[in-house]
Amino acid sequence: MKEKIKVILVDDHAVVRAGFRLLLSSVDHIDVIAEAERGEQACQLYLEKQPDVIVLDLSMPGIGGLESIRRILLRDSAARILVFSVHDEIVYVNRALGAGAKGYITKNSAPEILVEALEKIAAGEAYIEQGLRKSLPAQTNQADYRALIDTLSAREFDVFRLLAKGLTLHKISDELCLGYKTVANYGTQIKSKLKVSTTAELAHIAMVLGVMKS
């Protein structure tokens, strides 16, 4: 009999977590020991529960998925984190892996893919969903844009994504639980790093890289 894999589920939608839990409850050797709806809770639960794998969404209120990965790894460099996201664009995959995640699958993947990913990561291996193991298609300016995007911090990337979607600074402040001035400063830094001056230009870069897709 396989030793049980202890898992924490992190997603801001209760229905999604319930679906994950139901799916994994049918697998004898996987045990969902806790759930969280925000990254802040995930960091605390990780310390308390010490799971074998933490399954984490990227798009959440508060500190968000990328920053959660960074903070968990600061506390435990051996943490095994599987990103389970709606985003299938390679820019998200690269940022998640760059932050320290051990695996990445999409929410459109078959149920057995989630189970396989958990098994691989619990065993100390990496796991990337088969369909994501590809490079971005060739496109004008794409390589340059990608290089610039890689200079953004995890928090800057979160602000960039929301700015590109057309959210105001006040709305981004509420969404990320940051002060208005802090968000404004991030906006200035992002435009400087990406060498643009308008939000429309940010949106264009986001569209080229597939970041606009929700």
Side-chain angles (χ1 to χ4, degrees):
M1 182 177 177
K2 292 184 178 180
E3 186 176 347
K4 280 187 176 290
I5 300 170
K6 297 180 293 182
V7 175
I8 290 179
L9 299 176
V10 187
D11 193 290
D12 60 327
H13 295 99
V15 173
V16 173
R17 296 197 311 274
F20 292 171
R21 181 181 283 276
L22 181 61
L23 166 64
L24 296 176
S25 67
S26 65
V27 183
D28 291 339
H29 60 281
I30 296 178
D31 185 16
V32 178
I33 59 174
E35 299 178 20
E37 62 181 3
R38 299 169 70 95
E40 294 88 340
Q41 295 172 328
C43 293
Q44 185 60 39
L45 278 173
Y46 182 86
L47 293 176
E48 294 174 0
K49 302 292 186 178
Q50 293 293 299
D52 297 307
V53 183
I54 184 163
V55 178
L56 184 77
D57 191 13
L58 288 182
S59 302
M60 298 182 290
I63 64 174
L66 291 172
E67 179 65 14
S68 299
I69 294 170
R70 189 186 71 81
R71 293 190 186 186
I72 290 170
L73 287 168
L74 280 176
R75 292 164 173 78
D76 180 5
S77 61
R80 294 166 180 171
I81 301 171
L82 170 64
V83 171
F84 196 33
S85 173
V86 297
H87 299 292
D88 60 2
E89 300 83 13
I90 201 68
V91 64
Y92 285 99
V93 180
N94 286 339
R95 292 195 70 87
L97 298 179
K102 296 295 188 294
Y104 195 113
I105 63 175
T106 67
K107 292 182 179 179
N108 292 325
S109 59
E112 57 267 25
I113 295 298
L114 174 58
V115 175
E116 182 182 4
L118 285 171
E119 291 173 342
K120 293 286 188 182
I121 292 174
E125 301 177 38
Y127 189 95
I128 308 297
E129 187 178 334
Q130 181 65 40
L132 300 176
R133 299 171 196 170
K134 60 184 183 296
S135 299
L136 284 168
Q139 188 169 353
T140 305
N141 294 328
Q142 198 169 69
D144 292 339
Y145 289 155
R146 185 175 172 189
L148 291 173
I149 285 291
D150 286 343
T151 68
L152 300 181
S153 68
R155 181 49 91 205
E156 286 172 342
F157 182 76
D158 287 336
V159 174
F160 161 71
R161 178 175 56 83
L162 296 177
L163 281 172
K165 285 187 174 183
L167 271 67
T168 65
L169 296 180
H170 283 295
K171 286 189 176 296
I172 295 173
S173 175
D174 291 340
E175 177 78 13
L176 300 180
C177 300
L178 295 171
Y180 174 84
K181 288 185 178 180
T182 299
V183 173
N185 288 336
Y186 274 130
T188 300
Q189 293 167 12
I190 290 164
K191 288 176 181 176
S192 176
K193 286 186 176 183
L194 300 186
K195 306 181 191 306
V196 300
S197 57
T198 69
T199 301
E201 289 173 296
L202 290 181
H204 172 70
I205 293 174
M207 288 177 67
V208 168
L209 294 178
V211 177
M212 295 290 279
K213 184 178 176 181
S214 60

